[in-house]
Amino acid sequence: MTFLHPIMAALGIACIAIPILLHLLMRRKRRPVVFAAMRFVIEAYNKQRKRLTLEQLLLLLTRIALVALIALGLAGPMLSSAKLPGNAASQLVFILVDDSLNATLTTRDSASELSGHIDSALDVMHQLNQSTPVALILLSTPPRVAVSLSTDHAAVIRAIEAIEPADAQADITGALSLVEPLPDLSEADATIVLLSSLRKGSINPQETIDDISQRFASLTLIATSPSRLQPASNITITQLEPMRRIVLTGNNRNIAPEPIQLRIELSRSGPIVRTKATTTINASIESGRSQSASTQASVRWQPGQEQAFATLSLSDPSLSGQPQDTTLAVRIDNDALLGDNLRRAVIQLRQQIRVGVVSSSQFLPDQGVAAFAGADWVRAALAPAPGSPITTIDIKPLNIDPPTLASIDALLIAEPDQVPANAWPDIATFVQRGGSAVVLTPANQGVHLWHDAMRSAFNLPWTIAREPMRLDQPAALNPSPDQQGKQLLAMIAGEYEALAQPVSIWQRLSAYPENPNDIVLRTADGDPIMLAVRPSQDTSDYVSSGLVIFLAVALDPDWTNLPAKPLFVPLVHELIRASSSRSLVSRTRIAGQRLSGPLSQMTLTKASASSGPDRIDPPPTQVARAVSHAGIWQLHDATGRSRGIIAFNPDPHAGNTSISDEKTIIDWLSNALHNQEPILLDEQSPADAINTQMQQTNTGDLLSLPLLIAALVLAIIETCLARIASHARKPIAGVVT
Amino acid sequence: MYLHPRTLARLGSFELRAKQIVEGVMSGQHRSPYKGFSVDFAQHRPYVSGDDIRHLDWKVYARSDKLHLKQYQQETNVDLIVMVDCSGSMNFGSRLFAEASGSAQKTSIDGRDNWTKFDHATAVAAALSYITLSQGDRVGMVTFADETLSFVGRSSSRGTWRQIVRALAVHPVDKPTDLRRAIDQTLAKVTNRCIIALISDMFEDLDTLRQAMARIRHRGHDLVVFQVLDQSELTFDFADPAPFQGLEGEPMLRIDPRAIKQSYLDAINAHNKAVQKLARSFGFDYQLVNTHEWLGPTLASFIAHRNAMIKRSKLS
């Protein structure tokens, strides 16, 4: 056993002599009492002598024990020397600072809440014992250990002073998982000082926190209560989605490029939810570091409304002929949280999309409509006029090879029955690398054996009949596409029902996918007539697998009147463009999200003015990395070649400034403490309160409290014994006067 | 001055005849309780009509030709022997002298400021002596400790009072009591039957007391026991632990008086009751005298009680 205050312990042991000395002093020479009836005094004394001696002995022992317990209690005995404050293993302190976007909240005071967290962390550091190991962990996603457990307090203080706000959300769960003792100090006590406002944007109560209490002899978590926070209103741009990721500018400079349509989602939090409000949205196209076009819109909020949507259209004639990645930026009015008032998206500008039409037949302009084959209908639909942004290239089935496929963006196989079996793997590779393939059903086949090679090459989980099914009654199209179809045909969703109404189907191949989500279109009877699937789910952050679309109806008058109906042209266009856009991986990321795949191996250089580093090199090992700061970054591969740009946006979840419920926080954080409640401080000065609490924690596991409680009990016993031994006010019977 | 005026005034309303039925040769006012034992005094009186002729003294009639009755109940005087305990234990008292003496005198002649049991005993002795002398009866006095220390012979003369007062003006000796020896020495000097007033704290063994009382009874004397005790001896109201020291050579004892108070009181009360019972068993009277109480009421009450007892015995 060791003592927190050894000198006090020595003094306490010495104090045991006090009752003995007092006992001896009480036996000092007093003035004798002369008494006549001594014979009766002696007789009474002889009767009581044993009991009196026992009483006195018990009283003396009780007093000695009482003094010893008080002295030992004040000396702070501990069972293990590892818990001594002077010992580095005694107390580990983990300072967790919320540097997330939510911590940049500015209320009535000019300083942000992050400034307060930094001040509190510095105050804690200045009052810690120099031998106490301290670690600094930053909460923004991904949480990271800024300074490992160390007694180098100067380094920790420098790291605290260098904290910069990130645009990511706080990940308290991940940060707590980083709280680990030093390998040789598993028996140490630990105190976690969680410096966060714990607003709803910084916590995630649905996420389960692992129990980390078993890593330490004892674990205390100290945080500031959200009850003292000032309410703050904030509006967040939670989503910015361009309707097309690929914008075609065309070859003809005299024709304006198509407008860029944006879908914007907003949310608001804090007291402002209860009021009416208007938010101005400003959307613009950023070409490099300049803005070329902009537009504005307003969103009117009703009381109680937390979410709003807006659709904007941007037109910029100067975009013609610029084949490059372009940034779209959306801004809203400034509020308490500035970081989430700007959001960006990256679109790709292209002059045209090259579509290879696989057909053995040659299109002849003087041929009548009655002689049109499927390929002819498609060609006519995709390139209705010169200068169209979609151009078609005829590819003979026997000419399908990798170089040919590399020169096109999409492949439309009008006569799949003519495609050699050895060409299907090349087509599969083409799709695997991001190309799209639209496969039509050939009209002149009685038995369809060709799709065996297709299903095998793409590993399609579909069941396709070998013979077509002729319908007794012509089937109409279902007035609404399936889920897959809604995504592919989003641009014509409003008109689809009217366009689909005149379409009739007399013959079809029965095709049923294992996954109903693969269905794009079906008849009114529910039979699928168009399927789509991404053959490989091995998507990377840079290029994703393309789509395979299968039309189970031949473009032939014996099968359907679709080619002759108004739906056909927009349907073919949207299938080609949407599938190409879907094949192009999104160039928008959320700050703090880990990068993986080829993207993680690229060098990022900053292309916009923002906080954080200007260059991020790929890590030496295959570990995932993340960009914590919003902005535009240029991608460079290992050879230094530019691979376009990528936008990192603030995490919209971090924009919720509503004050969390205290009970929710306690319940959530207690998971990490084996259901022991964390300490939430209400004081105005969190640093002082935290230091006070740490002092209590430092001595919390000592034996002082039990000893002092025992001393209190012994004091009560001593009082009773002393009263008994004093025989004061004892009722006396038999007094004769 | 040993008698407080209030004591004397209170006692003046009583007559010792209420106690004794003794027809003494000197005063003739008392009826002797020793009927059949006293043969020294006889009396004749003229015959009146109706007297029992069996009691006529025919010898007187022969000499004087007058009829006189021979009186069988002979009247005698009362001899009172006061025995005052002068042992060491009597030299204890917790009452202030100024309060007990009834005068402006704050200390005794020898400088003490406390009123001891011996002071109270001498007051009792003086009161009894004064009353007896004022009735013309004879009084003798003995002071004793482990033996008789002084003896005043019985007499009814006025000079006896002065002798008694002078004999009482002594200090207790630092010796224990030996009552049996003192009684033996006293009885050796007394030939006729008398009343012995024993004034003592009675701190003696009960066997010794029994033997002494038996000797007195055997010699036909009457005994009145006045047990003089201090208030503190009866209540033992000491608070602080202290060494206690006796007055008759007992060892010093360091005690917490509150711790043994109950046992002490049990012991002394048992002793006092035993003394009282012992005296009553011999037909003697017993009176506990508290030094913190006025003597007059105590004596008056005692004498009244004794008169009542005598009347009851006469009626029976």
Side-chain angles (χ1 to χ4, degrees), chain B residues 65-231:
Chain B
D65 197 18
K66 292 180 180 178
L67 288 174
H68 283 80
L69 286 180
K70 186 167 58 179
Q71 196 160 350
Y72 291 99
Q73 288 183 328
Q74 296 173 348
E75 292 181 352
T76 181
N77 61 332
V78 175
D79 284 357
L80 176 67
I81 297 177
V82 181
M83 294 186 68
V84 179
D85 187 356
C86 290
S87 67
S89 62
M90 294 295 286
N91 193 21
F92 171 75
S94 60
R95 193 181 184 187
L96 290 176
F97 189 92
E99 179 192 348
S101 66
S103 67
Q105 191 177 353
K106 293 187 177 180
T107 59
S108 64
I109 298 172
D110 55 357
R112 286 181 291 105
D113 59 354
N114 63 329
W115 178 263
T116 64
K117 290 190 288 186
F118 181 73
D119 291 331
H120 215 71
T122 55
V124 174
L128 292 175
S129 301
Y130 186 83
I131 292 170
T132 305
L133 287 172
S134 65
Q135 293 183 155
D137 293 326
R138 295 196 302 172
V139 177
M141 198 198 72
V142 175
T143 61
F144 68 96
D146 55 345
E147 60 182 355
T148 55
L149 301 178
S150 62
F151 186 84
V152 176
R154 290 168 291 169
S155 173
S156 60
S157 66
R158 289 298 177 184
T160 304
W161 168 252
R162 188 168 298 275
Q163 291 178 16
I164 289 173
V165 169
R166 190 181 300 118
L168 290 174
V170 295
H171 296 292
V173 294
D174 188 15
K175 289 181 179 178
T177 307
D178 189 347
L179 186 61
R180 190 174 58 182
R181 184 179 182 188
I183 289 291
D184 286 344
Q185 291 175 342
T186 301
L187 292 181
K189 296 179 180 179
V190 177
T191 55
N192 60 326
R193 295 175 180 83
C194 58
I195 300 173
I196 299 173
L198 177 60
I199 307 170
S200 169
D201 53 15
M202 306 300 287
F203 288 168
E204 273 279 358
D205 292 336
L206 288 176
D207 288 340
T208 304
L209 289 175
R210 184 179 292 106
Q211 292 173 8
M213 289 183 187
R215 188 69 57 85
I216 292 171
R217 169 54 67 200
H218 178 72
R219 294 288 295 270
H221 301 293
D222 192 9
L223 177 67
V224 179
V225 176
F226 291 93
Q227 185 178 15
V228 181
L229 292 175
D230 190 81
Q231 175 82 10

Side-chain angles (χ1 to χ4, degrees), chain A residues 30 33-36 48 732 734, chain B residues 92 233 241 243 245 263 265 269:
Chain A
R30 289 172 178 265
V33 175
V34 175
F35 194 65
Q48 302 286 327
I732 302 298
Chain B
F92 171 75
E233 291 175 326
Q245 185 175 18
S263 295
L265 291 176
N269 288 333

Side-chain angles (χ1 to χ4, degrees), chain A residues 94-222:
Chain A
F94 296 87
I95 299 177
L96 277 57
V97 179
D98 185 359
D99 62 336
S100 68
L101 173 66
N102 196 270
T104 62
L105 181 73
T106 304
T107 53
R108 294 169 191 167
D109 305 329
S110 57
S112 66
E113 290 186 342
L114 176 59
S115 301
H117 300 335
I118 292 174
D119 292 342
S120 297
L122 292 174
D123 286 347
V124 171
M125 288 301 301
H126 289 146
Q127 296 188 35
L128 278 181
N129 190 325
Q130 281 296 327
S131 60
T132 303
V134 185
L136 176 65
I137 297 175
L138 302 180
L139 295 182
S140 64
T141 306
R144 56 206 177 278
V145 179
V147 180
S148 300
L149 274 174
S150 166
T151 54
D152 185 1
H153 287 196
V156 179
I157 289 173
R158 283 196 301 274
I160 292 173
E161 291 172 339
I163 293 175
E164 286 189 0
D167 294 311
Q169 190 190 16
D171 182 6
I172 295 176
T173 304
L176 288 175
S177 67
L178 299 175
V179 174
E180 290 182 338
L182 296 173
D184 56 340
L185 295 178
S186 59
E187 293 300 321
D189 297 336
T191 300
I192 298 174
V193 183
L194 178 57
L195 296 173
S196 172
S197 300
L198 299 174
R199 292 180 189 269
K200 288 184 177 178
S202 288
I203 66 171
N204 188 4
Q206 283 73 38
E207 206 170 37
T208 303
I209 299 180
D210 293 335
D211 182 5
I212 58 172
S213 60
Q214 72 276 7
R215 300 176 186 176
F216 305 94
S218 71
L219 179 63
T220 306
L221 197 156
I222 303 171

Side-chain angles (χ1 to χ4, degrees), chain A residues 296-368:
Chain A
Q296 275 194 345
S298 295
V299 171
R300 298 182 186 280
W301 300 90
Q302 297 300 319
Q305 184 182 359
E306 295 183 356
Q307 280 191 317
F309 302 91
T311 303
L312 278 78
S313 182
L314 268 171
S315 296
D316 187 0
S318 64
L319 292 178
S320 300
Q322 294 181 0
Q324 60 181 10
D325 290 345
T326 298
T327 307
L328 304 177
V330 171
R331 291 178 175 83
I332 58 172
D333 306 328
N334 287 343
D335 49 26
L337 207 58
L338 299 177
D340 60 354
N341 295 335
L342 169 62
R343 197 168 187 85
R344 292 184 174 96
V346 177
I347 59 173
Q348 195 172 41
L349 297 180
R350 287 192 190 178
Q351 287 183 331
Q352 59 183 9
I353 292 179
R354 295 164 62 86
V355 179
V357 178
V358 178
S359 173
S360 58
S361 62
Q362 184 70 36
F363 175 67
L364 300 173
D366 55 349
Q367 202 170 6

Side-chain angles (χ1 to χ4, degrees), chain B residues 294-310:
Chain B
W294 290 113
L295 185 57
T298 303
L299 283 180
S301 172
F302 171 72
I303 292 174
H305 170 73
R306 188 173 172 88
N307 285 340
M309 294 293 291
I310 291 171

